[in-house]
Amino acid sequence: MPSVSVSPSGEIVEGSSVTLTCSSDANPAANYTWYKENQTLLQGPEGSYNFTSISSEDTGTYHCQSENQYGQINSSSVLIDVQYGPRIPSVSVRPSGEIVEGSALNLTCSSDANPAANYTWYKKNETSPKALGQTFTITNITSEHSGEYYCEAQNIRGRHNSKLQLTVVEAAWKLISAVASATVLPAIILTCLLLWIRRKSATKQLSAPGEGPDSMLQLNSMYENISAAASRHQTEQQDELHYTFIHFTKKHEDPLYSNIMMPRPQKQEEEKVQYAAVNFKTDKTEPGTTTQGAEDDPSELYSKVQKFHKKPRA
């Protein structure tokens, strides 16, 4: 049976030169054919197969076959294990898509390496590692987790790393609150500013000449007191009714009285009669003497009474 040897012996590192040798005792001399798995590589009288710069793709199981006119026989298989440093890692995020505060996240790093790589997670501008292992799990994402991360894959043959940018967005209810604040807050500020300008204007009107900014606090207090007093006074005026009597003399005309006094019916004025003094004149005669005046009837005397009608007021 042919035998197979590998030179140099020991660990095979990517990029190095490696020779496989197949030998067999045969007469006449045998021809050799090399196989990788079931794939034919080389046929010829030479029993050697050379790798000038072996690579990871050359890893696999090899054997040779010796043959002459009297027969053929296969050698035992030999494993060629080519060691190499980690390839550039690939990073995946699960679940994919937008990263929202409060959610859970898995970061996974993978790299082709021989021997297998060890993984370490870092965040930019931080010296201590964030996690060890191929997967980095964040159970409760916050805005502080935003930033640049990278995972490093390392083995005895080398190291490589890959970067990842995480952007954490606020939850929907926070965005709504922020929009409401952005809308309401300017309105509140504008309202306060208008009230301040109005108060300042009123304060200037109440200020006496020569008063400076030092009296602003007192004027503001005065403005508040005056406003409260005016409000109370208006309420009291609405709640209280005052009654009075107006007396006018008859000796002169009052324009106000003429404007507000109800007109008096002229008929009643005409019916009012003022009686003047009644003078009874009798002739001075001697007692026992009869005169014409004494014989007058009392009704005739009454008819002599002068009636004075009060003229209506103009």
Side-chain angles (χ1 to χ4, degrees):
M1 176 182 293
S3 62
V4 176
S5 62
V6 180
S7 178
S9 60
E11 294 178 347
I12 300 173
V13 180
E14 187 176 45
S16 63
S17 176
V18 176
T19 300
L20 302 180
T21 303
C22 182
S23 61
S24 176
D25 184 17
N27 189 19
N31 291 319
Y32 299 96
T33 303
W34 285 94
Y35 296 90
K36 180 184 180 182
E37 314 304 340
N38 295 320
Q39 179 184 358
T40 302
L41 299 177
L42 179 64
Q43 290 179 343
E46 299 295 332
S48 298
Y49 186 78
N50 296 319
F51 299 93
T52 56
S53 179
I54 198 165
S55 67
S56 60
E57 286 80 7
D58 295 324
T59 298
T61 302
Y62 293 81
H63 74 274
C64 71
Q65 182 184 77
S66 63
E67 179 181 7
N68 64 13
Q69 61 188 10
Y70 296 105
Q72 62 183 24
I73 190 170
N74 292 327
S75 70
S76 60
S77 298
V78 60
L79 175 63
I80 301 298
D81 184 21
V82 181
Q83 295 185 358
Y84 53 93
R87 305 298 190 238
I88 296 176
S90 63
V91 180
S92 61
V93 181
R94 294 289 182 275
S96 59
E98 191 175 59
I99 303 172
V100 182
E101 278 189 333
S103 61
L105 196 67
N106 289 326
L107 307 180
T108 302
C109 186
S110 60
S111 175
D112 181 20
N114 186 28
N118 296 317
Y119 299 93
T120 307
W121 288 91
Y122 296 92
K123 187 176 182 181
K124 187 177 180 180
N125 299 326
E126 294 184 9
T127 57
S128 58
K130 301 297 293 183
L132 298 175
Q134 191 171 4
T135 302
F136 174 27
T137 300
I138 305 174
T139 56
N140 187 18
I141 291 287
T142 66
S143 58
E144 295 180 355
H145 289 103
S146 295
E148 184 178 279
Y149 293 80
Y150 65 93
C151 81
E152 182 179 80
Q154 179 182 6
N155 65 8
I156 60 174
R157 302 303 173 188
R159 65 179 64 192
H160 261 298
N161 62 64
S162 288
K163 296 180 180 179
L164 171 68
Q165 181 68 39
L166 285 185
T167 302
V168 181
V169 298
E170 292 184 345
W173 65 271
K174 287 189 176 182
L175 290 176
I176 294 173
S177 178
V179 171
S181 298
T183 304
V184 175
L185 185 59
I188 295 175
I189 294 175
L190 180 60
T191 302
C192 294
L193 180 60
L194 292 175
L195 291 175
W196 179 81
I197 293 173
R198 182 178 179 184
R199 176 172 292 184
K200 185 176 181 181
S201 176
T203 303
K204 287 183 177 180
Q205 293 178 1
L206 294 175
S207 299
E211 290 183 347
D214 294 339
S215 61
M216 185 63 67
L217 183 60
Q218 296 179 357
L219 292 176
N220 289 338
S221 178
M222 181 185 298
Y223 175 81
E224 294 176 355
N225 293 335
I226 291 174
S227 299
S231 178
R232 289 196 302 270
H233 181 67
Q234 184 177 5
T235 303
E236 292 174 357
Q237 285 184 337
Q238 294 177 354
D239 293 341
E240 295 184 2
L241 296 177
H242 298 275
Y243 298 89
T244 185
F245 294 94
I246 303 175
H247 298 277
F248 298 94
T249 61
K250 297 180 181 181
K251 292 182 180 181
H252 63 277
E253 295 182 357
D254 192 338
L256 177 62
Y257 179 80
S258 65
N259 290 333
I260 65 173
M261 187 180 75
M262 298 294 294
R264 301 174 61 185
Q266 295 182 359
K267 184 177 180 181
Q268 293 180 0
E269 293 289 345
E270 294 176 354
E271 291 177 357
K272 290 186 178 180
V273 179
Q274 180 176 358
Y275 294 90
V278 180
N279 296 322
F280 295 91
K281 295 181 179 180
T282 58
D283 295 333
K284 294 181 181 181
T285 59
E286 293 292 335
T289 302
T290 303
T291 64
Q292 181 67 30
E295 296 175 355
D296 290 337
D297 186 36
S299 60
E300 294 179 357
L301 296 176
Y302 180 78
S303 64
K304 294 180 180 181
V305 176
Q306 296 179 0
K307 299 182 179 180
F308 297 90
H309 294 276
K310 187 176 181 180
K311 296 181 178 181
R313 188 181 298 270

